[in-house]
Amino acid sequence: MAEIILHHYPMSPFAEKVRIALGLKNLAWRSVEIPMIMPKPDLMPLTGGYRRTPVMQIGADIYCDTQIILRELQRRFPALPLTPAGHEGVAEALAYWADRTLFWPAVGVVMAVIGDQLPEEFHKDRAAFSGRPPDPARLKAMAPVARDQLYASLTHVERMLDDGRAFLLGGQPSLADVAVYNPVWFVLQRLGARTPPLTSLPGIVAWAERMGRFGHGQPTAMAAAEALDIAERAEPDAPAGVDESDPSGLKAGARVSVTPDDTGKVPVSGELVTLSATEIVLRRSDERVGTVAVHFPRAGFILAPAG
Ligand SMILES: N[C@@H](CCC(=O)N[C@@H](CS)C(=O)NCC(=O)O)C(=O)O
């Protein structure tokens, strides 16, 4: 099988969610470092416009968003399952909550402290990314709100750990753990454990230490050009196909676009080759990499016929 290639940068918390999952599964992978802000000229030929971090590549199959990246890792490497049997829905739902709700107050806590040390280009880029004007002073003013919201949300997780369990859903780590680890890691990494509200959440801090011990598996660096060459030489995997009873009524071969519904709302266009409740796959061509299959999760993405 082609190697796992992760396009990411070290300080990305969503990339850490995937890196720690690669550690849990003890996998070998190749690491391509991408810029923290646009432009990302060596990523665009692979994704067709999707700009968020991280992106996983396996040959000519490109996986956008950590939801689909983790599902694919689970499918290809089923040992040490990330979704414990009988608890798949709970693990997925907790992960979605962590990605879309818990993440933001954690960003608020960190940015209130480090925001004004970051360059103007970073703030401009993240303003375009989020659709909100750049405003480091507002980030500082919102610090108490972010702290309190993170406290309220993480207290639910602290309570889950109160009975002495090692991980959120029991004795083994799962998708729920790697997803909650993402924002907790971000605060710990940037500000340390003496940061409120972590000072009031000792169970979370101890759990995060346990999570961190899984490490990142075995990464080795790869140049971006090599990753593009690999995509160019490879053929995408055979598509799973379009579910005939999908409520959208879309059929295989339709020209469609896929756009994140929250941040980095850049549409990617192509030919629909797979559609299910959990996955959208487009086939598209690029002059640098030839034909690639770009995979997205269904949740959190807008699928529309392309004009
Ligand atoms: N829902 C996405 C969120 C990814 C995300 O927001 N990543 C941040 C970095 S942690 C990002 O893309 N920031 C802008 C950038 O890297 O260009 C996922 O699960 O992958």
Side-chain angles (χ1 to χ4, degrees), residues 31-59:
S31 168
V32 175
E33 193 162 335
I34 60 172
M36 279 177 75
I37 61 174
M38 293 297 274
K40 305 188 186 190
D42 294 326
L43 186 66
M44 294 303 115
L46 297 169
T47 65
Y50 181 85
R51 62 153 292 181
R52 303 197 297 196
T53 310
V55 167
M56 182 174 79
Q57 171 189 353
I58 299 184

Short mmCIF file of all heavy atoms in Angstrom, two decimals, residues 31-59:
data_model
loop_
_atom_site.label_atom_id
_atom_site.label_comp_id
_atom_site.label_asym_id
_atom_site.label_seq_id
_atom_site.Cartn_x
_atom_site.Cartn_y
_atom_site.Cartn_z
N SER A 31 5.83 13.03 6.54
CA SER A 31 5.41 14.34 7.03
C SER A 31 5.82 15.43 6.05
O SER A 31 7.01 15.63 5.81
CB SER A 31 6.07 14.56 8.39
OG SER A 31 5.94 15.89 8.79
N VAL A 32 4.83 16.10 5.45
CA VAL A 32 5.10 17.23 4.56
C VAL A 32 4.66 18.50 5.30
O VAL A 32 3.49 18.62 5.68
CB VAL A 32 4.32 17.11 3.24
CG1 VAL A 32 4.53 18.36 2.38
CG2 VAL A 32 4.74 15.87 2.47
N GLU A 33 5.59 19.41 5.53
CA GLU A 33 5.23 20.63 6.25
C GLU A 33 4.66 21.67 5.29
O GLU A 33 5.26 21.94 4.24
CB GLU A 33 6.44 21.18 7.01
CG GLU A 33 6.01 22.24 8.00
CD GLU A 33 7.03 22.54 9.08
OE1 GLU A 33 7.87 21.67 9.40
OE2 GLU A 33 6.97 23.68 9.59
N ILE A 34 3.50 22.20 5.63
CA ILE A 34 2.85 23.21 4.77
C ILE A 34 2.85 24.55 5.50
O ILE A 34 2.99 24.60 6.73
CB ILE A 34 1.40 22.79 4.38
CG1 ILE A 34 0.52 22.61 5.64
CG2 ILE A 34 1.39 21.54 3.54
CD1 ILE A 34 -0.96 22.41 5.31
N PRO A 35 2.66 25.66 4.76
CA PRO A 35 2.63 26.98 5.43
C PRO A 35 1.41 27.10 6.36
O PRO A 35 0.37 26.49 6.12
CB PRO A 35 2.51 27.97 4.27
CG PRO A 35 2.87 27.20 3.04
CD PRO A 35 2.54 25.77 3.30
N MET A 36 1.55 27.96 7.40
CA MET A 36 0.45 28.20 8.34
C MET A 36 -0.61 29.11 7.76
O MET A 36 -1.71 29.20 8.28
CB MET A 36 0.98 28.89 9.61
CG MET A 36 1.60 27.93 10.59
SD MET A 36 2.27 28.81 12.01
CE MET A 36 0.78 29.21 12.88
N ILE A 37 -0.24 29.87 6.72
CA ILE A 37 -1.20 30.79 6.09
C ILE A 37 -1.13 30.61 4.58
O ILE A 37 -0.17 30.03 4.06
CB ILE A 37 -0.92 32.27 6.48
CG1 ILE A 37 0.46 32.72 6.02
CG2 ILE A 37 -1.06 32.48 7.98
CD1 ILE A 37 0.73 34.21 6.24
N MET A 38 -2.14 31.13 3.91
CA MET A 38 -2.13 31.10 2.44
C MET A 38 -1.04 32.03 1.91
O MET A 38 -0.72 33.01 2.60
CB MET A 38 -3.49 31.52 1.90
CG MET A 38 -4.58 30.53 2.22
SD MET A 38 -4.30 28.90 1.46
CE MET A 38 -5.03 29.16 -0.15
N PRO A 39 -0.43 31.80 0.75
CA PRO A 39 -0.76 30.74 -0.19
C PRO A 39 -0.11 29.40 0.18
O PRO A 39 0.87 29.36 0.91
CB PRO A 39 -0.18 31.27 -1.50
CG PRO A 39 0.99 32.11 -1.09
CD PRO A 39 0.61 32.71 0.24
N LYS A 40 -0.70 28.31 -0.34
CA LYS A 40 -0.18 26.96 -0.11
C LYS A 40 -0.05 26.29 -1.48
O LYS A 40 -0.84 25.41 -1.84
CB LYS A 40 -1.11 26.17 0.80
CG LYS A 40 -1.41 26.87 2.14
CD LYS A 40 -2.17 25.98 3.10
CE LYS A 40 -2.58 26.76 4.34
NZ LYS A 40 -3.12 25.92 5.41
N PRO A 41 0.94 26.74 -2.27
CA PRO A 41 1.00 26.34 -3.68
C PRO A 41 1.21 24.84 -3.90
O PRO A 41 0.82 24.32 -4.95
CB PRO A 41 2.18 27.15 -4.25
CG PRO A 41 2.96 27.60 -3.05
CD PRO A 41 2.01 27.68 -1.90
N ASP A 42 1.83 24.15 -2.94
CA ASP A 42 2.06 22.71 -3.13
C ASP A 42 0.91 21.86 -2.59
O ASP A 42 0.92 20.63 -2.73
CB ASP A 42 3.36 22.28 -2.44
CG ASP A 42 4.57 22.93 -3.09
OD1 ASP A 42 4.53 23.12 -4.33
OD2 ASP A 42 5.53 23.26 -2.37
N LEU A 43 -0.07 22.50 -1.96
CA LEU A 43 -1.23 21.75 -1.46
C LEU A 43 -2.39 21.83 -2.46
O LEU A 43 -3.13 20.86 -2.66
CB LEU A 43 -1.66 22.31 -0.09
CG LEU A 43 -2.75 21.53 0.64
CD1 LEU A 43 -2.26 20.13 1.04
CD2 LEU A 43 -3.22 22.27 1.89
N MET A 44 -2.54 23.00 -3.09
CA MET A 44 -3.70 23.24 -3.96
C MET A 44 -3.83 22.24 -5.11
O MET A 44 -4.95 21.82 -5.44
CB MET A 44 -3.68 24.67 -4.51
CG MET A 44 -3.88 25.74 -3.44
SD MET A 44 -5.42 25.52 -2.51
CE MET A 44 -4.81 25.16 -0.88
N PRO A 45 -2.70 21.79 -5.75
CA PRO A 45 -2.88 20.81 -6.84
C PRO A 45 -3.53 19.52 -6.34
O PRO A 45 -4.21 18.83 -7.10
CB PRO A 45 -1.44 20.54 -7.32
CG PRO A 45 -0.66 21.73 -6.88
CD PRO A 45 -1.30 22.20 -5.60
N LEU A 46 -3.33 19.20 -5.06
CA LEU A 46 -3.90 17.97 -4.50
C LEU A 46 -5.36 18.14 -4.12
O LEU A 46 -6.19 17.27 -4.38
CB LEU A 46 -3.10 17.53 -3.26
CG LEU A 46 -1.64 17.18 -3.51
CD1 LEU A 46 -0.89 17.04 -2.19
CD2 LEU A 46 -1.54 15.87 -4.31
N THR A 47 -5.69 19.28 -3.49
CA THR A 47 -7.03 19.44 -2.92
C THR A 47 -8.00 20.16 -3.86
O THR A 47 -9.21 20.10 -3.64
CB THR A 47 -6.99 20.24 -1.61
OG1 THR A 47 -6.55 21.58 -1.90
CG2 THR A 47 -6.07 19.60 -0.59
N GLY A 48 -7.48 20.92 -4.82
CA GLY A 48 -8.37 21.67 -5.72
C GLY A 48 -8.94 22.92 -5.06
O GLY A 48 -9.94 23.45 -5.54
N GLY A 49 -8.34 23.37 -3.96
CA GLY A 49 -8.80 24.62 -3.32
C GLY A 49 -8.97 24.51 -1.82
O GLY A 49 -8.88 25.51 -1.11
N TYR A 50 -9.26 23.31 -1.31
CA TYR A 50 -9.40 23.14 0.15
C TYR A 50 -8.10 23.57 0.82
O TYR A 50 -7.03 23.10 0.43
CB TYR A 50 -9.72 21.68 0.46
CG TYR A 50 -9.92 21.39 1.93
CD1 TYR A 50 -11.17 21.59 2.53
CD2 TYR A 50 -8.88 20.92 2.73
CE1 TYR A 50 -11.37 21.32 3.88
CE2 TYR A 50 -9.07 20.65 4.08
CZ TYR A 50 -10.32 20.85 4.64
OH TYR A 50 -10.50 20.60 5.98
N ARG A 51 -8.19 24.46 1.82
CA ARG A 51 -6.98 25.08 2.36
C ARG A 51 -6.68 24.70 3.80
O ARG A 51 -5.67 25.12 4.37
CB ARG A 51 -7.10 26.60 2.27
CG ARG A 51 -8.25 27.16 3.09
CD ARG A 51 -8.00 28.57 3.54
NE ARG A 51 -6.92 28.65 4.52
CZ ARG A 51 -6.51 29.78 5.09
NH1 ARG A 51 -7.10 30.93 4.77
NH2 ARG A 51 -5.55 29.79 5.99
N ARG A 52 -7.59 23.96 4.45
CA ARG A 52 -7.42 23.77 5.90
C ARG A 52 -6.33 22.73 6.19
O ARG A 52 -5.90 21.97 5.33
CB ARG A 52 -8.75 23.37 6.54
CG ARG A 52 -9.84 24.41 6.24
CD ARG A 52 -11.03 24.32 7.15
NE ARG A 52 -11.78 23.09 7.05
CZ ARG A 52 -13.01 22.95 7.53
NH1 ARG A 52 -13.62 23.95 8.13
NH2 ARG A 52 -13.64 21.80 7.41
N THR A 53 -5.94 22.71 7.44
CA THR A 53 -4.87 21.83 7.91
C THR A 53 -5.46 20.88 8.95
O THR A 53 -6.19 21.36 9.84
CB THR A 53 -3.77 22.69 8.59
OG1 THR A 53 -3.42 23.76 7.72
CG2 THR A 53 -2.56 21.86 8.95
N PRO A 54 -5.18 19.58 8.90
CA PRO A 54 -4.29 18.89 7.97
C PRO A 54 -5.04 18.32 6.77
O PRO A 54 -6.27 18.32 6.73
CB PRO A 54 -3.77 17.74 8.84
CG PRO A 54 -4.98 17.37 9.67
CD PRO A 54 -5.70 18.67 9.93
N VAL A 55 -4.23 17.79 5.82
CA VAL A 55 -4.75 17.00 4.69
C VAL A 55 -3.92 15.71 4.66
O VAL A 55 -2.71 15.76 4.85
CB VAL A 55 -4.60 17.79 3.37
CG1 VAL A 55 -4.83 16.90 2.16
CG2 VAL A 55 -5.55 18.99 3.34
N MET A 56 -4.60 14.58 4.44
CA MET A 56 -3.86 13.31 4.32
C MET A 56 -3.89 12.87 2.87
O MET A 56 -4.91 13.02 2.17
CB MET A 56 -4.49 12.24 5.21
CG MET A 56 -3.74 10.90 5.17
SD MET A 56 -4.39 9.68 6.35
CE MET A 56 -5.84 9.08 5.48
N GLN A 57 -2.77 12.34 2.43
CA GLN A 57 -2.66 11.81 1.06
C GLN A 57 -2.23 10.37 1.14
O GLN A 57 -1.29 10.04 1.88
CB GLN A 57 -1.62 12.64 0.30
CG GLN A 57 -1.26 12.08 -1.07
CD GLN A 57 -0.06 12.80 -1.69
OE1 GLN A 57 0.42 13.81 -1.17
NE2 GLN A 57 0.41 12.27 -2.80
N ILE A 58 -2.88 9.49 0.39
CA ILE A 58 -2.39 8.12 0.21
C ILE A 58 -2.42 7.89 -1.29
O ILE A 58 -3.51 7.76 -1.88
CB ILE A 58 -3.23 7.09 1.00
CG1 ILE A 58 -3.17 7.41 2.51
CG2 ILE A 58 -2.72 5.67 0.73
CD1 ILE A 58 -3.88 6.42 3.42
N GLY A 59 -1.27 7.92 -1.94
CA GLY A 59 -1.20 7.81 -3.40
C GLY A 59 -1.91 8.99 -4.05
O GLY A 59 -1.54 10.15 -3.84
#
